[in-house]
Amino acid sequence: MYQVRQLIAGGWGPDGDAGELLVLDPSDGTEVSRAPVADPAAVAAAVKAAREAAPRWARTAPAERAAALHRAAAAVEAAADQLAEVQTAEMGRPAGGARGGVEAGVASLRQYAELGPVHRGRALAGPAEAIDLMAVEPRGVVAAITPWNDPVAVTCGLLGAALVTGNAVIHKPSERTPATGWLLARLLDEHLPDGVLSLLTGAGPVGATLAAQDVDVVAHVGSTATGRAIAAACAVTGAKALLENGGNDPVIVDADVDPEWAARQIALGAFANSGQLCVAVERVYAHTSIVERLSASLVRVAEAMKVGPGRDPRTELGPLVDRRHRDQVHGQVLAAVADGARLLCGGFVPDGPGAFYPPTVLADCTDRMAVMREETFGPVAPVLAVDSFDEALSRAANSAYGLSATVLTGSMQHAQRAWRELPVGTVKINAVFGGAPGGAAHPRRGSGQGFGYGPELLDELTATKVVHISAPDGPKWGW
Ligand code: NAD
């Protein structure tokens, strides 16, 4: 059992009297962690401490900030097992995936430690020794509000980029993974001056209170609905809103690909982390000539998956994060079946403890079904047959979201059309989770705004100051 504490002005606690959160293990319902709910005074105190700490941290040499981040990365790496364990206990992710999330987080901290000191502006020559400088400066105070589904990787990326560029950060982890956030904050804080990092715990209302404060950036990774509420709050305060939100990612399966291989790709994309990834495969458009073989292979892969608690090393599919979320996933599946979808496997709520849900494949889906239109965030692969690549492209493009999309094809022409025509931030050709380490992401529409990852995140978290320098009394040489 973890007892979480908040970090404000360099001190752990006091915890305030706005109540307490209790997190239950989604595999068996046992208690995992308790966390305080930050009251408005605690939120205001964290913002005040961050404001006071920010100027000094901004003046600290970038190489010194980077060295602190390197030390923090080493500490996170040394605690990887514990961080993975608490993540699995709080949100159910199988041990291997949880460990992978921590490793990705360490890699992000190191990436930003390397990139921070060389993140720089430009200069432009004017007439006779006049010059324009573009200097980058930290934005000041960054509120980072994060989700539960990949808590270490997401948090390390945001915090690493914000800290190395000289911002003070207030982190509010998800109410579903407070102990993961707390352990991570303890590891980072040991290498930072007091007040540069604060940790507040609580649910949506605490996030809303924080987003309404006098901060310079609110960086939110989470659902589209929350992102919109945060954008509205930022419109009032003038803070910059950086939003990495939900997705409804399509995968297009072209007529010329091996359906067995395509099925394995789709299973990976739809079932990894029980479908609880922002870039999970959410809908499948498969050519009619291969759709039956594809669906049959997908069912075979789904039915062979080992479902169980995340801490069992044999488990391939852990539980959903909680029963409330399972009800939402199951509701979308039931509604699709009632509307004519064929349930090929899964689609039931198992008996027993926890929030387990089986890998589910639906055929004969239509665009009007919520399971195709909305983000399901569960281990569900809904399939719609299409007569042509054109039809697949147009259905895939027709979405309120714009996070990413995958195309499985042997045709260079189709691959080229896909990346040019799909209105999303990332297009993946022939691998659902392809991508170079350190790559950027630039979501569109309901999926957010701004770069959430990659070197470009350093631009988002800094402001450029343009300086015009000219000689007194007009242009002249030798000044
Ligand atoms: P969520 O938006 O409900 O919660 C995320 C964070 O926002 C939590 O800390 C929560 O307490 C806080 N929050 C909730 N309401 C708030 C409000 N009104 N004001 C301020 N803060 C508030 O999302 P979630 O359920 O934790 O996470 C799942 C979602 O995150 C999915 O939609 C997933 O696609 C998305 N996600 C996106 C990315 C990405 O990079 N695009 C990465 C991971 C997850």
Side-chain angles (χ1 to χ4, degrees):
M1 174 76 174
Y2 295 92
Q3 178 59 60
V4 172
R5 298 262 176 260
Q6 303 186 93
L7 173 61
I8 298 168
W12 289 96
D15 290 335
D17 53 9
E20 197 177 45
L21 292 170
L22 177 62
V23 179
L24 304 180
D25 185 324
S27 69
D28 58 16
T30 56
E31 287 187 14
V32 178
S33 43
R34 286 177 182 273
V37 175
D39 57 20
V43 177
V47 173
K48 182 166 175 284
R51 257 301 151 232
E52 284 166 9
R56 186 141 178 227
W57 184 238
R59 284 195 306 272
T60 303
E64 213 178 299
R65 295 195 299 249
L69 210 57
H70 269 304
R71 288 193 293 275
V76 174
E77 189 172 45
D81 287 339
Q82 196 192 3
L83 270 170
E85 260 170 50
V86 65
Q87 198 188 140
T88 297
E90 288 196 313
M91 53 72 76
R93 191 175 192 178
R99 176 85 200 200
V102 178
E103 285 162 9
V106 171
S108 292
L109 290 172
R110 293 202 166 118
Q111 172 193 316
Y112 287 123
E114 293 297 320
L115 291 172
V118 292
H119 182 242
R120 58 186 180 264
R122 287 179 287 188
L124 187 65
E129 296 192 282
I131 195 161
D132 273 16
L133 301 179
M134 289 165 71
V136 288
E137 297 181 340
R139 285 188 176 264
V141 175
V142 174
I145 303 178
T146 57
W148 50 268
N149 67 312
D150 196 0
V152 179
V154 165
T155 304
C156 284
L158 261 188
L159 267 53
L163 290 167
V164 82
T165 44
N167 296 285
V169 176
I170 301 155
H171 179 215
K172 212 282 298 159
S174 169
E175 58 275 26
R176 280 156 157 160
T177 51
T180 309
W182 165 70
L183 273 179
L184 188 59
R186 285 201 327 185
L187 295 163
L188 301 180
D189 171 56
E190 276 192 21
H191 304 282
L192 297 168
D194 285 355
V196 166
L197 177 65
S198 299
L199 181 82
L200 295 171
T201 50
V206 175
T209 304
L210 176 59
Q213 300 287 308
D214 171 31
V215 297
D216 300 291
V217 180
V218 183
H220 172 251
V221 183
S223 67
T224 298
T226 302
R228 292 201 164 135
I230 286 174
C234 289
V236 174
T237 62
K240 170 177 172 151
L242 183 60
L243 306 173
E244 305 301 311
N245 294 154
N248 185 25
D249 287 7
V251 55
I252 294 175
V253 188
D254 212 351
D256 64 348
V257 302
D258 172 10
E260 291 272 342
W261 167 74
R264 286 196 300 278
Q265 281 292 315
I266 292 165
L268 176 66
F271 305 147
N273 204 18
S274 296
Q276 302 167 123
L277 289 172
C278 56
V279 290
V281 166
E282 288 273 336
R283 49 197 172 117
V284 180
Y285 300 98
H287 195 270
T288 37
S289 63
I290 57 154
V291 72
E292 288 303 325
R293 278 180 299 152
L294 173 85
S295 301
S297 302
L298 198 47
V299 169
R300 269 198 302 282
V301 179
E303 287 183 336
M305 287 187 88
K306 170 103 181 68
V307 181
R311 60 184 167 274
D312 180 341
R314 292 165 303 171
T315 293
E316 294 170 297
L317 193 102
L320 290 170
V321 69
D322 58 26
R323 289 188 168 196
R324 176 165 58 94
H325 182 51
R326 179 172 72 177
D327 288 346
Q328 278 171 13
V329 171
H330 190 49
Q332 284 197 7
V333 171
L334 289 183
V337 171
D339 199 13
R342 243 181 330 129
L343 186 62
L344 300 186
C345 68
F348 61 91
V349 171
D351 291 336
F356 291 96
Y357 198 74
T360 298
V361 181
L362 291 165
D364 301 342
C365 293
T366 64
D367 289 332
R368 69 171 178 272
M369 296 172 178
V371 79
M372 293 294 279
R373 247 188 13 255
E374 298 296 325
E375 183 180 50
T376 307
F377 227 53
V380 181
V383 182
L384 187 158
V386 290
D387 290 325
S388 67
F389 191 72
D390 275 340
E391 182 189 345
L393 273 185
S394 109
R395 287 187 192 275
N398 182 12
S399 172
Y401 298 89
L403 195 61
S404 68
T406 302
V407 181
L408 304 179
T409 181
S411 157
M412 191 58 172
Q413 191 206 1
H414 283 180
Q416 294 272 17
R417 280 195 59 199
W419 78 254
R420 288 181 204 281
E421 292 178 31
L422 290 171
V424 297
T426 304
V427 177
K428 294 167 283 184
I429 312 287
N430 291 332
V432 285
F433 293 144
H442 201 213
R444 302 180 186 185
R445 298 188 282 185
S447 295
Q449 61 188 34
F451 283 98
Y453 306 89
E456 292 78 2
L457 179 55
L458 300 172
D459 297 333
E460 300 283 2
L461 294 169
T462 47
T464 300
K465 181 167 287 168
V466 178
V467 186
H468 305 296
I469 301 178
S470 305
D473 302 326
K476 58 170 158 300
W477 292 108
W479 179 75

